[in-house]
Amino acid sequence: MFVQFKKIAAAALLAASISQASGTVFAESKPYETEKLPVREHQSLVREIPKQLPRFKFDSGYQFEYPDAVRGIYVTGNSAGGEKFSSLVNLVDKTDLNAMVIDIKDDHGFLTYKPSDDSPFKEIGKPYIKDPKKMLKTMEEKQIYPIARVVVFKDTALANKKPEWSYKDGNEVWKNGRGESFVNPFVKDVWEYNVQIAKEAAKMGFKEIQFDYVRFPEGFERRDSTLKYSMGDYQNIEMDNIQKRVKAVTDFVAYAREELKPYDVKVSVDIFGYTATLPEAPGIGQNFSKISENVDVISSMIYPSHWTSYFGITKPDTQPYRLVEEYAKLEKKKLAELKTPPISRPWLQDFTASWLGSGNYIVYGKKEVEDQIRALKDQGINEYLLWNASNRYSPNVDYTP
């Protein structure tokens, strides 16, 4: 008993000395109170000690400054690792562009570089970016802000490897009309898988992780009762399937952001522009406001070619300024309702949507790109990203019109 008392007293003395060193003074303890001390003092120390210790922060060795406002372009793994990279660097270097969104995990589920031999992701690595360090060093020298695009739930490679993490149509992994498969946002192993890839990108030197396809497959509300899939921890939650999907997607984003905090990177999410027009997109599980509350940057895909006549514009692709203006007004209202709104950085269109058919589209070039940028600027939004799937961007554009 005496030995136990000595241990308790010693612990109390140690706790008192630590608390005094941190500027906290505890009330003097009386002998008959010593048995309570370990619990009480332990609770206090849990609160106080982390304030004195520096939080773990990973340092990649690269130095990048966040620009005055991000103005970026999309870059595939092939472009980043091939001959086109130098011309894209030159485009950014010679204009008011200042950022690149580079595929790190692509739309098929593959990494765009070869990780180390001991990496758990070795088998999904592709040799598109042969020397990521050299690429990032070039970007550092030119101060091109590096954003790693990580495609999350559209992942044919993982779905085929882990069918239990995907959706089954009979005995086969389900595919959409384009032959693509998705993995299941209800499965937390899928969360961890993608967050580990995001951490690898942060270690490489990227300053922001942009998650894309953070959603269920399009039209999932028509399949949720016919496909076979796990609902994991969400199975017994008392809410309808729409809300379960919203909760799973939102929970993933919150989890990813928390896990990435020690790596000192921003977290952004690509989201369908139309989600801002709805309480939530019922099939895919995207709620604009709930996702926005859990990211540093929200990037709505607002390409004029992708809209119907929602804003009263019969042929939206032919009126880029007006379409973007109307969307920006709507988004501003939605973000103003949040306590801590993220940066708005929409995706803009720098491609021609000829598939819309004659009369429904126009050829996009310098004027159309500038019209979209100007429409954002006129609504107080200064950040944007330009999408062209083949990375062929319009010449002679004024990126700060």
Side-chain angles (χ1 to χ4, degrees), residues 296-357:
D296 301 299
V297 181
I298 192 76
S299 287
S300 296
M301 297 173 284
I302 60 172
Y303 319 122
S305 60
H306 284 40
W307 288 86
T308 62
S309 56
Y310 177 84
F311 293 112
I313 307 171
T314 306
K315 299 177 180 180
D317 189 66
T318 67
Q319 297 189 54
Y321 180 94
R322 187 177 165 204
L323 185 283
V324 171
E325 177 188 42
E326 291 301 321
Y327 174 82
K329 289 177 182 176
L330 174 68
E331 187 189 84
K332 279 167 61 179
K333 290 179 182 177
K334 296 278 282 194
L335 292 179
E337 296 169 358
L338 306 181
K339 289 183 179 178
T340 54
I343 295 168
S344 172
R345 189 196 298 154
W347 279 102
L348 302 179
Q349 178 173 328
D350 193 359
F351 56 86
T352 296
S354 55
W355 63 84
L356 294 174

Side-chain angles (χ1 to χ4, degrees), residues 77-104:
N78 276 318
S79 292
E83 293 180 3
K84 188 176 286 188
F85 187 63
S86 60
S87 64
L88 292 173
V89 167
N90 190 58
L91 170 66
V92 175
D93 192 36
K94 302 297 184 186
T95 67
D96 285 328
L97 293 170
N98 54 29
M100 288 183 175
V101 179
I102 298 176
D103 277 344
I104 287 300

